[in-house]
Amino acid sequence: MKNKITVSAPGKLMLLGEHAVVYDHPCLVTAVDQRMKATVTLLDSFDLEIEAPDVKVVGYKKPMVELSMGDIPKGAQFVEIAVRNLLESDSGKTRIMNGEIHGIRIETSSEFSSLFGFGSSSASTVCVIKALSELLDLRLNNKAIFQLAYQTVLDIQGKGSGFDVAAAIYGGTLYFVTGGKVIEPLDMKSLPILVGYSGIKADTVILINQVAKKAKKYPDVVEGIYGIIEQLVERAKVAILEKDWQTAGELMNLNQGLLESLGVSTDKLSQMIYGVREGGAFGAKLSGAGGGDCIVAFSPEDKREEIKKNIEKAGGQVLDIDSNVEGVRVEE
Ligand code: MEV
């Protein structure tokens, strides 16, 4: 049996539908070519070891019997809880009883900063579950990997739709409904996207709670907004499949207006978005929870340079990324 494997998974970028997707509505998400990598080794010793220098976890080691107990450093939480969830699953338990698993060493590294909001925690969770599935010959399919990884996200964050986990597993561009009720890959080649980073790290859980507070005070209004966001997502799905970027861009603009009304945009994001639109983009909006992170735009080829300048003028950083890339894969 192989005792070491390296697996990689892509980051994600929300195209349309954030926040509404937490509450049983669809979204559109694309996988980006900035990947998270995990090398997993089965050890003879009975320890869990994690090295994740990108998130300040160095030399972390504990006995396997203490898995998921005590204080876990923030950067190690997703990886450690992913290991626990896999080992507590039916197939994982059998392997423990057969004495096939003693200890596990996990080393992660990322091609992107965890500040961008590309979903580094979800991507590393997916990498670890896929790697252990391969090493222990558990033959987990994508749906089973999704369930374990989504459970891990919920165990730690309490909230979330799982769209980031799906993007890391399936790759491509997905039409996704809360909790993986629908995971539909869109048959398309590429998206004319441009991405700008605001320089501010957003806290997804805080923003979800902020919107939940609004929904508690104005339940009908906020549910109405989610309903319109759903319509925008449905139309954008068709527009994207037809490569009608003008319409897809206009739908992004409408989605941004609704995110503004939910209170999750910021001055900086709005300035970047207006700059991008003035530069000739088909449309632009914030991407993800809001409060910071990135904006995403659809842009005509001949306007890209102008738009990039405008992102910088508004104090943002252009991120050169490709979208619609391959999902989780074994590297070596
Ligand atoms: C955060 O990137 C997007 C949200 O919709 C949360 C989620 O879907 O898990 C706000």
Side-chain angles (χ1 to χ4, degrees), residues 12 14 17-22 27 117 150 153 157 159-164 176 204 207-208 287-290 293:
K12 54 77 188 167
M14 179 70 94
E18 48 274 90
H19 287 289
V21 69
V22 180
C27 74
Y150 182 45
V153 171
Q157 276 187 191
K159 285 177 184 150
S161 65
F163 82 106
D164 39 7
F176 175 90
T204 302
L207 283 143
I208 291 179
S287 172
D293 288 350

